[in-house]
Amino acid sequence: MFASVPNPIPARMKGLNRAEICDVNFSEFVKAWNGSPARKPAPSEAILEGSALDAQGFRELFESQLVSRHLDLMARVLRVQNKVFYTIGSSGHEGNAMVARATRHTDPAFLHYRSGGFMAERFRKLPGMDPAMDSALSFAASKDDPASGGRHKVWGSKPLWVLPQTSTIASHLPKALGTAVAIETARRIGHQLPIPDDSIAICTFGDASANHATAQTAFNAASWTAYQKLPAPVLYVCEDNGIGISVKTPTGWIAESFRNRADLDYFYADGLDLANGYADVQRAVEHCRRTRRPTFLHLRTTRIMGHAGTDFEIEWRSVEELCAVEASDPLLRSAAIALESGLMSKDELLALYEATRVRCFAAADEADRRPKLDDLQEVIAPLAPYTPDKVLAEATRPASAEARIKAFGSEDKLPEKLPPRHLAIQINNALHDLFAKYPEALLFGEDVAQKGGVYTVTKGLHKAFGNRRVFNTLLDETMILGMAQGFANMGMLPIPEIQYLAYLHNAIDQIRGEAASLQFFSNDQYRNPMVVRIAGLGYQRGFGGHFHNDNSITPLRDIPGLVVGCASRGDDAAMMLRTLTALSKVDGRVSVFLEPIALYMTKDLYAAGDGLWLTEYPAPDQALVLGEERVYFPDATDCVIFSFGNGMPMSLRAARQIEARHGWKVRVVDLRWLVPLNAKAIAKHARECARILVVDEGRHSAGIGEGVITAITEAGLGGKPGRRVVGVDTYTPLAGAAFLVIPKEEDIVAASDALIRGYSPT
């Protein structure tokens, strides 16, 4: 392909900055070209004989390539002046502009960081938009950046349906597939999409990222979906430059791995040659849109100027290898096409090249003068929006009487008219209520449909609302959470289930790095609201071990913007679910509803048969306030016990024993909301009581109890007698041994004895 392109690098330049070399290469190549141009084609004529790309299309794609390149060059120059803060570039990948041209601006796009060409071309789709200015604002971390408001250099745009990604390594592939599936699901459930019904989802990534476990799970799920003849119109674009930072991809690996993969339709296009590559890109896009099948576009690219500005390739690659790579620069091929076709003269090419440089540097200068984020509250404003009055109003707005009767079967079966029931039943009732209220609500996960979940918590939902809204997924938590993001992107209300807390850990980046970060990195322009139900915690009898009794809550505690609720009783669970779904609908938030498995079927509190842990179903116009605690014996002031989940019935029983043992009146506080903790409420109860016990069923290190003690200490109450009763830093063993590593009632009582001897934190 590039045999006619001489190596334009003189010996004197072999030690210079490679970005400078690539810049000079273009001018020297154009000046040295000595071919014979053809007759200048009309705008609608093919740019070269046999090409599917007309002259006007080529010209615009070439201009987009130049904008992308000069943004890269600008970033390298201005980074050393501290005017730009991101230098991972798109040089060598400018051919991805063809994907933008062949698709629509309403096709949701999830782009990796080498997408300058794609973005420059997509900006053409709407009038009045300037890729140079918008991109420069992002490079400069200006708060006027229309994508992230200065929070990160991202490729993103609300009007262009580019959902912003940071320096993602394959973690965006699951939600791209989820979005594709959601486009089709919307039609099936009668949900109005924010984009045309025949849209496709676009997802770009590199050849190195294709090996990542998160990428592989997305490819597998795409094939799994297509194998069942289910629509999944996602266009996966693998931009194959043959290297990941410094690790080379084996020659032919991507083609060998994907061209014969079942139910993932493979296309190849030369991203280094606009004239030859565009037809193949068009074919892949048209195939994906027409067949609604997952499609894999293998786009040949190269990488010049290194991985980023700090990657000095000359230190680890030979000059000869670098020169060969730089000779494959797609801009040189585009220049050759422009000259060979007669579309542009040498002078016109060089003038356009320099005019684009001026344009990008002028945009950068303007961006540098724009304000930066300099206030903490301004920085975190889009992270966790919360409008309490609106959330409460939405949470207490019941479904229509007709919808509720239809969901529950008859008026006399409405749950508020039935006797008190246990936690699992009331969660089930609440889910029926929410599905009656929100026709866009979806529940999915492993075994949740016909079986009704391994603990029957979702029993009857599939029968009541059908397979389109309640369905099983493949056994893959990463894809469950990726699907949830896709449904949320398309305006639905996903309620995914993670079958056990231990199963979350290998998929948690879908919450940490993707779902919970979207509002922050899009300046609250994009939201992917969801309520993730997770069964977990310990104390199951006769069944368990590590994976079914996992008490590791810690990974959820430091995810910015995430809300975690844990209800210990049925009425609280129903009201908490209403609040969490309202939080999603009103403020777009991502939340986790942590369900204590051992309390699912618990009926009794103090003695067998007392039925004191059964609760009535709260009327549908009742809900919790985010952060609001439940207080037992609020007038007691001798001692306060803070706990949650399984710790609640234990703490209530222990409180009776402590009163009998020491004569203390004991207040018991159910935190209910674990992330964020209500520090003010914790301090209030600690201040009002003489002694403090914290019962945390999690592990000793980094558990909820540490947060409670921190809140107490920061309120200036650390001198009060207090003790923490907490699990051990170990995995959960099987059978009776499990109860040796988690708190027991007698441990709580023993801790009260220690309070008599004085403060002894643990």
Side-chain angles (χ1 to χ4, degrees), residues 65-277:
Q65 288 184 309
L66 292 176
V67 168
S68 178
R69 176 61 56 85
H70 279 294
L71 286 171
D72 284 357
L73 294 171
M74 172 273 292
R76 298 297 176 90
V77 171
L78 297 186
R79 178 66 196 99
V80 296
Q81 300 176 31
N82 212 35
K83 293 182 177 181
V84 160
F85 303 94
Y86 196 86
T87 59
I88 296 179
S90 304
S91 295
H93 285 247
E94 291 90 352
N96 56 32
M98 293 187 289
V99 180
R101 187 171 190 85
T103 55
R104 306 170 184 161
H105 80 275
T106 49
D107 291 328
F110 304 85
L111 307 179
H112 77 333
Y113 41 70
R114 302 198 193 281
S115 298
F118 182 104
M119 286 300 296
E121 184 64 23
R122 183 165 271 205
F123 269 87
R124 296 183 186 279
K125 304 285 186 177
L126 291 177
M129 302 192 73
D130 182 356
M133 191 66 239
D134 282 12
S135 300
L137 289 166
S138 188
F139 276 106
S142 168
K143 68 179 180 181
D144 290 341
D145 164 26
S148 75
R151 289 165 184 84
H152 205 283
K153 163 64 190 74
V154 297
W155 296 119
S157 171
K158 179 66 173 178
L160 294 176
W161 269 98
V162 179
L163 289 80
Q165 312 297 306
T166 57
S167 299
T168 183
I169 304 297
S171 58
H172 57 313
L173 272 70
K175 65 182 179 183
L177 174 59
T179 301
V181 172
I183 292 169
E184 297 300 310
T185 299
R187 177 180 53 80
R188 298 173 67 208
I189 68 171
H191 173 71
Q192 181 64 49
L193 281 170
I195 55 177
D197 290 349
D198 65 342
S199 297
I200 65 174
I202 305 161
C203 182
T204 66
F205 53 95
D207 50 292
S209 294
N211 299 297
H212 197 278
T214 313
Q216 291 295 320
T217 197
F219 300 142
N220 177 71
S223 298
W224 183 88
T225 303
Y227 179 76
Q228 300 175 83
K229 305 296 189 290
L230 298 173
V234 60
L235 179 67
Y236 281 127
V237 183
C238 180
E239 300 184 18
D240 184 1
N241 64 24
I243 195 167
I245 302 185
S246 67
V247 179
K248 294 181 181 178
T249 298
T251 302
W253 171 245
I254 295 299
E256 187 66 25
S257 297
F258 290 96
R259 65 186 168 195
N260 296 316
R261 195 160 184 157
D263 293 302
L264 185 60
D265 302 341
Y266 176 89
F267 291 78
Y268 173 83
D270 188 352
L272 301 179
D273 189 319
L274 299 180
N276 286 334

Side-chain angles (χ1 to χ4, degrees), residues 130-467:
D130 182 356
M133 191 66 239
D134 282 12
S135 300
L137 289 166
S138 188
F139 276 106
S142 168
K143 68 179 180 181
D144 290 341
D145 164 26
S148 75
R151 289 165 184 84
H152 205 283
K153 163 64 190 74
V154 297
W155 296 119
S157 171
K158 179 66 173 178
L160 294 176
W161 269 98
V162 179
L163 289 80
Q165 312 297 306
T166 57
S167 299
T168 183
I169 304 297
S171 58
H172 57 313
L173 272 70
K175 65 182 179 183
L177 174 59
T179 301
V181 172
I183 292 169
E184 297 300 310
T185 299
R187 177 180 53 80
R188 298 173 67 208
I189 68 171
H191 173 71
Q192 181 64 49
L193 281 170
I195 55 177
D197 290 349
D198 65 342
S199 297
I200 65 174
I202 305 161
C203 182
T204 66
F205 53 95
D207 50 292
S209 294
N211 299 297
H212 197 278
T214 313
Q216 291 295 320
T217 197
F219 300 142
N220 177 71
S223 298
W224 183 88
T225 303
Y227 179 76
Q228 300 175 83
K229 305 296 189 290
L230 298 173
V234 60
L235 179 67
Y236 281 127
V237 183
C238 180
E239 300 184 18
D240 184 1
N241 64 24
I243 195 167
I245 302 185
S246 67
V247 179
K248 294 181 181 178
T249 298
T251 302
W253 171 245
I254 295 299
E256 187 66 25
S257 297
F258 290 96
R259 65 186 168 195
N260 296 316
R261 195 160 184 157
D263 293 302
L264 185 60
D265 302 341
Y266 176 89
F267 291 78
Y268 173 83
D270 188 352
L272 301 179
D273 189 319
L274 299 180
N276 286 334
Y278 188 65
D280 294 317
V281 171
Q282 279 187 312
R283 276 192 285 272
V285 171
E286 189 276 334
H287 172 84
C288 185
R289 197 179 304 281
R290 175 177 52 82
T291 66
R292 317 307 285 165
R293 284 175 56 84
T295 304
F296 188 96
L297 174 58
H298 180 191
L299 189 68
R300 180 191 180 200
T301 62
T302 190
R303 191 193 76 191
I304 61 175
M305 294 165 49
H307 174 72
T310 54
D311 179 18
F312 300 106
E313 289 183 293
I314 194 67
E315 296 179 354
W316 56 273
R317 297 180 88 171
S318 70
V319 170
E320 290 74 19
E321 183 181 4
L322 286 173
C323 291
V325 169
E326 289 158 359
S328 69
D329 184 346
L331 263 63
L332 302 185
R333 177 56 185 156
S334 292
I337 293 170
L339 293 167
E340 291 166 10
S341 66
L343 180 68
M344 303 178 74
S345 68
K346 292 183 181 182
D347 289 343
E348 288 172 326
L349 265 178
L350 294 174
L352 177 60
Y353 188 78
E354 292 305 321
T356 308
R357 184 198 307 276
V358 170
R359 175 186 174 191
C360 290
F361 271 84
D365 287 341
E366 173 60 25
D368 182 54
R369 290 191 289 269
R370 298 287 186 90
K372 304 291 194 294
L373 291 169
D374 57 8
D375 176 77
L376 174 60
Q377 293 307 312
E378 194 173 30
V379 170
I380 65 174
L383 175 64
Y386 179 43
T387 49
D389 292 344
K390 291 182 179 180
V391 169
L392 187 60
E394 177 64 19
T396 55
R397 178 183 65 82
S400 69
E402 294 77 13
R404 297 193 73 228
I405 290 171
K406 183 179 179 181
F408 290 104
S410 65
E411 187 171 0
D412 60 348
K413 291 181 180 179
L414 292 176
E416 63 269 28
K417 296 185 177 183
L418 299 178
R421 305 301 295 270
H422 49 274
L423 176 65
I425 291 292
Q426 303 299 36
I427 293 175
N428 181 276
N429 286 330
L431 290 171
H432 275 79
D433 243 342
L434 291 171
F435 267 60
K437 181 177 179 178
Y438 298 114
E440 70 276 22
L442 306 170
L443 187 143
F444 50 94
E446 299 159 17
D447 304 300
V448 300
Q450 293 89 341
K451 180 177 174 62
V454 292
Y455 295 99
T456 70
V457 175
T458 59
K459 183 178 180 179
L461 284 164
H462 180 265
K463 182 178 180 180
F465 299 101
N467 196 52

